[in-house]
Amino acid sequence: MPSTAHRGVVAVLTRQQHTPGEIVRIARTAAGWNQAELARRCGYSRSQVSRWETGSTPLRDVETLRALARALFLPVEVFGLTVDHSTGVSTRPGATAAPRVSGDPMPVWEEHDPMRRRTLLAGMGALAGSAVLGTAGRNPAAALAGDPISVLERALLAPPLTTGAPTEVAHLRWAVAVARSVFAEGRYGEVATRLPDLIAAATVTRADPRPGDTATAAHAQLAEFYTLTTDLAIKTGRDRLAWTVADRASQAADASGDLLTQATARRVWAIVLRRAGHGDTAQQMVIDTALAVQPDLRTPDQLSVYGSLMETAAYTAAADGDRDTAETFIAEAVDAATRLGADADHRYTSFGPTGVGLYQLSIARVMGDSGTAIEHARRINPASIPSTERRARYWVDVARAYDQWGKPEHCYRALLAAEHASPDEVRYRKPTTTMTATLLSHPSANRLPGLHDFARRTGTAV
């Protein structure tokens, strides 16, 4: 059951991002339940849960939302309900100042909330600062006043925090799902702001798990947080941080005893090793891990993790100039994606046919085949890419291929498309600043409208 510290935690929803049904689906998945299990816990039928999650039946009834919040260990505020803090009871429809709850993803009170552009992670940050950590937590506004990635790096290069109170593993799973969701939206600064507190909460919980939980389950969630942090560090070019947290992710994953958790942690560790110049070691790690996963490829999780390992192996071979090996591994990834059948985010892999196409684009580019890279790009409809993060990365890869090909106008247009998808993608990624600096010095720079303003937005010296 959720603790009383959950009361008053307000998770502010961003417009057009999370409907009540989507919140139910994300929280259910994070808890590791199928629809039948949630139906059993909240007293409804599985088909009713399915209709809520797909949006065919809008979630409007306040009593139903309360029941779902209780079953999913969520504060009622994530559904737009308010709480009487003197009693800890959520207000009923028609009560003074009570919000109207409907299928609209933005509750009425959000219209006038000065924090309306914050995501669900804001609520998890409050949870980390009170219910999870048992402290006031860090001040996110203060962190965002500087560079949140640098704040994260300073926090995590220090010894891991071991203060605060443990929490339920179900809450950690939910926090992982929300943090991953915000990362997928391309909001890297927001993820960085919250990760130190969430990692601290998981660290404390593994040392002293709550009744009904196990240390191994807490280790698994800590590994997920460190794996996400590694993805973020790689994305933003913080190689020193990536090395540190990738090692911690692998240690926590090994302690969890879960093969797929270990595999996802080792995949990002291999990427870090490759970037540090240890390509052979990285490739061997990926292959050994894939061999461990390969004998049992029956579930979407197993297929997705295996396929993502094959993508990483293919890119690692391409970066080493080994075209034949790269083609062999990417063909294996194509086969896994075909068996999976559709793009998905099982185990936070973003694996599927479109995801493999993105890797084919990257592999051609890193092999120096700019024209082939653009041909792969043209086969992908950017609107079909499941996540904002992947869509922005697609445009950056297109820009890099055009930059490599010597086509500055096309490169610049692709960079603008990447910025449109995710401003953080061009703000934090080093290849974008490098390309922008090249564009500024190109003879055609005066034919690229707004280039200087773009350079300032990305932090490139003008």
Side-chain angles (χ1 to χ4, degrees), residues 274-275 315 318-319 323 357-377 393-405 429 431 435:
R274 173 182 59 75
R275 289 167 60 91
Y315 187 89
R323 187 182 301 273
L358 295 175
Y359 263 89
Q360 289 172 318
L361 160 60
S362 298
I363 288 167
R365 177 192 57 76
V366 80
M367 292 290 297
D369 301 334
S370 306
T372 303
I374 296 304
E375 284 302 314
H376 281 299
R393 194 168 82 179
Y394 162 85
W395 284 117
V396 169
D397 260 355
V398 169
R400 295 177 77 177
Y402 277 128
D403 177 57
Q404 192 177 61
W405 204 354
R429 288 198 66 186
M435 285 185 285

Side-chain angles (χ1 to χ4, degrees), residues 243 266 268-279 281-282 285:
W243 186 280
R266 287 171 186 164
V268 296
W269 182 223
I271 295 172
V272 172
L273 287 171
R274 173 182 59 75
R275 289 167 60 91
H278 302 287
T281 303
M285 178 179 292

Side-chain angles (χ1 to χ4, degrees), residues 75-389:
V76 295
E77 290 90 346
V78 301
F79 292 120
L81 301 176
T82 59
V83 174
D84 182 341
H85 293 279
S86 64
T87 64
V89 177
S90 53
T91 55
R92 295 180 179 275
T96 303
R100 288 185 290 106
V101 180
S102 69
D104 189 335
M106 187 184 71
V108 171
W109 51 261
E110 190 183 343
E111 284 284 1
H112 305 291
D113 194 316
M115 297 175 66
R116 64 185 179 278
R117 297 305 301 164
R118 306 298 291 275
T119 66
L120 278 170
L121 192 58
M124 285 310 303
L127 180 61
S130 55
V132 175
L133 290 180
T135 68
R138 293 175 177 81
N139 183 342
L144 286 170
D147 174 14
I149 310 296
S150 296
V151 173
L152 172 68
E153 185 171 37
R154 286 194 296 271
L156 295 187
L157 290 179
L161 293 175
T162 57
T163 58
T167 188
E168 292 91 345
V169 168
H171 298 163
L172 296 177
R173 288 196 190 98
W174 165 245
V176 169
V178 173
R180 275 289 181 184
S181 175
V182 177
F183 180 82
E185 291 165 3
R187 299 169 181 262
Y188 313 135
E190 292 185 28
V191 177
T193 301
R194 301 300 179 178
L195 275 170
D197 280 344
L198 296 173
I199 288 172
T203 301
V204 173
T205 301
R206 70 171 177 176
D208 185 18
R210 300 289 292 272
D213 288 332
T214 63
T216 54
H219 275 292
Q221 301 315 307
L222 180 60
E224 293 286 358
F225 282 127
Y226 276 132
T227 299
L228 170 57
T229 307
T230 308
D231 282 334
L232 181 65
I234 292 169
K235 166 80 70 175
T236 57
R238 304 299 178 108
D239 291 338
R240 180 176 60 173
L241 174 62
W243 186 280
T244 299
V245 293
D247 179 60
R248 293 180 187 176
S250 291
Q251 291 184 43
D254 288 344
S256 77
D258 181 77
L259 177 60
L260 296 186
T261 300
Q262 293 166 354
T264 55
R266 287 171 186 164
R267 185 187 69 83
V268 296
W269 182 223
I271 295 172
V272 172
L273 287 171
R274 173 182 59 75
R275 289 167 60 91
H278 302 287
D280 290 345
T281 303
Q283 191 71 303
Q284 191 62 54
M285 178 179 292
V286 174
I287 293 170
D288 289 346
T289 304
L291 287 172
V293 174
Q294 188 179 37
D296 196 13
L297 297 180
R298 295 174 296 177
T299 69
D301 281 4
Q302 292 163 338
L303 275 170
S304 297
V305 170
Y306 176 76
S308 68
L309 286 165
M310 291 295 95
E311 290 173 332
T312 300
Y315 187 89
T316 301
D320 194 39
D322 188 344
R323 187 182 301 273
D324 291 341
T325 301
E327 290 177 352
T328 298
F329 283 132
I330 202 64
E332 188 74 5
V334 169
D335 180 68
T338 302
R339 292 172 62 185
L340 186 64
D343 295 302
D345 196 28
H346 300 292
R347 289 286 179 142
Y348 309 115
T349 57
S350 295
F351 181 75
T354 303
V356 174
L358 295 175
Y359 263 89
Q360 289 172 318
L361 160 60
S362 298
I363 288 167
R365 177 192 57 76
V366 80
M367 292 290 297
D369 301 334
S370 306
T372 303
I374 296 304
E375 284 302 314
H376 281 299
R378 287 172 178 160
R379 297 189 190 112
I380 299 170
N381 176 10
S384 71
I385 299 174
S387 76
T388 300
E389 181 265 333

Side-chain angles (χ1 to χ4, degrees), residues 419 423-424 426-430 432-434 436-437 440 451-462:
E419 183 185 37
D424 279 5
V426 296
R427 175 186 176 189
Y428 289 117
R429 288 198 66 186
K430 289 184 177 179
T432 64
T433 56
T434 301
T436 305
L440 286 168
L451 176 59
H452 283 72
D453 287 338
F454 175 79
R456 293 186 184 94
R457 293 194 300 273
T458 61
T460 306
V462 178

